[in-house]
Amino acid sequence: MIFKKWMALALAGVLAFSLAACGQSEEGAAQQTAAAAGSEDTATEPVEITFYSYTLLNANSQEGTQKLLDEFMEQNPDVKVTGIPVSNSDMAARLQADMAAGEIPDVAQLPFRAMDFAVNSLGAVPINDLTSEEEFDKNFETFSPNGLALGEFDGKTYCLPFTFSTPILFYNGTLFEQAGLDPNDPPETWDEVLAYGQAIKEANPDVEALHVATTGASSGEWIAQALIYSNGGSILSDDRTTVTFNEEGGMGAMQMLRDMADAGVHGTLTEEEASEAFSNGTLAMYLQSSAVHASMKKAAEAGGWELYGAAMPAFEGKEAVPTNSGSALFVFTQDEAKRDAVWRFLQYMSSDRGYEIITEEIGYLPLRPALVEEGGALYEFAQENPLLGVNMEQMTRMQPTTPFPTENWQTLSASLYEMVDKVLWTDEPVEQIVNDTAAQDQELLNG
């Protein structure tokens, strides 16, 4: 009896010890599993890259830009892109301030004219350095050569074209017909624009005949540069140390604008007023970025007038030389661990799918021309929007806008559209306006 009781107690002790040991083993295993899971989570935590973007702030482009980011992250779950909306006008100052505070952005969207500033003042990283030369060349095999050339500076590719457009002469076919003009026969030269404008004003004195989007900060100076190029002029000397827009080509381009104003063909509308007037059907011809095509198309349908478009007019005996508006993606990351993620991000943003979204949902040009050819993802879209073909043709002969050097690049850029304002809206002699602007800019360059 005593023996049986002792055995029962012994067995109970062994069982208790075993259960305790088993519990400790399970707890330890659970802790080890949790530790391993934590280690795995740390190992697979996405690389985060920051993207400063002004199209994320624009109501017309915000949704399309966010779609690009979402689709990229869906296809690249090991990368997280944090989009930071910043207005175009504030972008340069924001980048400088954040960099001074030690917050280096990984990728930022800047206008092409900021090239010199981005490279020499902000320390942009050449895109070529993110990957091998072989992979870089392979990735851009089907890219527009002229488009890719926009990002070249001092022998390196420092930015990648993102949102991109050329100047289009939009015109109101209904107002053309009222003036006895054939809307299927648009003006091809500035002399013809003048003649068409005079006919339109004679038939309908209450409408504005022409507005060239070269005035005001909202448009910038890119079309002013295109006018100067198209007349055989230039902005700066090849070494970018001397102002040249006051030479014969630039002077003649500005005189053309004054002739339009003196004839009553070009009015004194601000950019905002011109956009509203064209939308309302009270402006006949509007040279503006192709990016406004979608909104103008809707305005025409709502207003009951016919929208047409043509290539940028040329000077007599010369070929028009379009420039481009829009923006490019610049890389600033100094973190070697992020470079592969940044390269993949740029690849996607400039891929066939990327430009499909950029063209259809944001309103800019596809820089992979095969997309609009038969069988391409944008072929049907191009058939429904023939102005896309005009843009693609102009892209083959465009010239990049000239970036101004030094920290004064924004002031120098502004000086060109301020010069145009004076040419169109004052009686001051054109030669004096242009020479005074050139002298002021040269002083800034000499700095």
Side-chain angles (χ1 to χ4, degrees):
M1 190 74 168
I2 295 172
F3 177 76
K4 288 182 178 178
K5 190 177 290 187
W6 180 85
M7 285 296 293
L9 290 171
L11 286 170
V14 170
L15 180 61
F17 177 81
S18 299
L19 288 172
C22 182
Q24 288 174 356
S25 177
E26 289 176 356
E27 183 180 355
Q31 289 174 347
Q32 289 176 1
T33 301
S39 175
E40 185 177 341
D41 287 345
T42 301
T44 59
E45 187 175 341
V47 175
E48 182 177 359
I49 59 177
T50 53
F51 174 44
Y52 287 44
S53 168
Y54 63 77
T55 51
L56 276 174
L57 200 64
N58 188 313
N60 294 325
S61 58
Q62 182 181 45
E63 186 175 342
T65 305
Q66 188 60 51
K67 185 173 184 177
L68 285 167
L69 304 188
D70 291 342
E71 286 197 9
F72 169 76
M73 288 187 284
E74 184 179 344
Q75 295 177 24
N76 296 269
D78 61 327
V79 181
K80 178 185 177 183
V81 182
T82 299
I84 301 175
V86 183
S87 71
N88 187 16
S89 59
D90 294 336
M91 184 65 75
R94 172 67 182 273
L95 290 174
Q96 281 185 306
D98 285 0
M99 287 180 174
E103 298 177 12
I104 309 296
D106 297 309
V107 182
Q109 177 186 4
L110 286 162
F112 290 94
R113 64 180 180 273
M115 176 80 78
D116 190 292
F117 174 73
V119 173
N120 291 317
S121 296
L122 298 181
V125 175
I127 296 173
N128 316 66
D129 293 352
L130 299 177
T131 187
S132 68
E133 182 179 351
E134 181 181 3
E135 185 177 4
F136 182 88
D137 291 341
K138 183 178 180 181
N139 185 72
F140 293 109
E141 279 179 348
T142 62
F143 207 84
S144 161
N146 278 1
L148 191 60
L150 293 172
E152 294 176 1
F153 187 84
D154 287 347
K156 289 277 192 176
T157 300
Y158 275 96
C159 68
L160 185 63
F162 178 47
T163 53
F164 176 94
S165 66
T166 65
I168 289 289
L169 183 67
F170 294 100
Y171 58 98
N172 185 319
T174 303
L175 292 178
F176 267 47
E177 290 175 344
Q178 291 175 2
L181 302 170
D182 182 0
N184 294 306
D185 183 24
E188 297 181 358
T189 67
W190 289 109
D191 287 345
E192 290 178 354
V193 170
L194 178 61
Y196 277 47
Q198 289 172 322
I200 289 166
K201 289 295 290 183
E202 184 176 345
N204 195 341
D206 293 332
V207 304
E208 294 286 355
L210 171 69
H211 185 86
V212 176
T214 59
T215 65
S218 61
S219 285
E221 84 295 350
W222 68 289
I223 293 182
Q225 289 204 22
L227 292 175
I228 292 168
Y229 295 156
S230 296
N231 200 37
S234 60
I235 308 301
L236 297 175
S237 59
D238 290 343
D239 62 5
R240 300 188 314 125
T241 62
T242 306
V243 169
T244 57
F245 61 77
N246 61 330
E247 295 175 358
E248 183 179 358
M251 198 70 74
M254 293 303 103
Q255 186 60 55
M256 179 275 291
L257 290 176
R258 172 60 64 84
D259 292 344
M260 295 285 182
D262 288 346
V265 169
H266 197 297
T268 57
L269 299 175
T270 64
E271 290 307 323
E272 290 75 17
E273 291 169 343
S275 178
E276 183 177 357
F278 193 75
S279 298
N280 293 337
T282 57
L283 170 62
M285 294 179 283
Y286 190 23
L287 187 70
Q288 178 57 287
S289 165
S290 57
V292 304
H293 181 212
S295 61
M296 294 307 174
K297 189 175 180 180
K298 290 179 183 177
E301 291 169 355
W305 52 273
E306 293 292 325
L307 175 68
Y308 288 78
M312 178 179 171
F315 287 87
E316 200 68 43
K318 300 173 183 175
E319 183 177 62
V321 182
T323 51
N324 64 283
S325 72
S327 65
L329 304 181
F330 289 82
V331 175
F332 297 101
T333 187
Q334 300 297 318
D335 189 340
E336 291 291 336
K338 291 184 177 184
R339 293 206 172 189
D340 176 66
V342 168
W343 168 240
R344 281 186 280 150
F345 178 64
L346 296 183
Q347 282 181 296
Y348 178 77
M349 298 295 267
S350 61
S351 66
D352 284 2
R353 177 57 180 161
Y355 280 117
E356 188 180 344
I357 295 172
I358 288 169
T359 301
E360 290 186 328
E361 302 191 30
I362 302 180
Y364 287 90
L365 295 182
L367 289 173
R368 294 190 182 268
L371 287 170
V372 302
E373 297 172 0
E374 190 167 1
L378 291 172
Y379 177 73
E380 294 298 331
F381 181 85
Q383 300 309 300
E384 296 169 4
N385 297 274
L387 279 183
L388 187 59
V390 175
N391 273 288
M392 299 300 283
E393 188 280 325
Q394 289 196 141
M395 197 160 63
T396 65
R397 52 188 171 85
M398 71 180 179
Q399 181 173 326
T401 53
T402 299
F404 286 100
T406 80
E407 293 286 332
N408 295 315
W409 69 278
Q410 289 175 303
T411 302
L412 288 161
S413 293
S415 73
L416 286 183
Y417 62 73
E418 290 168 355
M419 176 179 74
V420 172
D421 286 350
K422 292 178 183 177
V423 167
L424 287 169
W425 298 345
T426 74
D427 294 328
E428 190 177 338
V430 170
E431 185 174 358
Q432 182 178 333
I433 294 171
V434 176
N435 282 331
D436 286 350
T437 304
Q440 164 196 307
D441 287 0
Q442 188 63 56
E443 186 174 343
L444 288 171
L445 279 178
N446 293 341

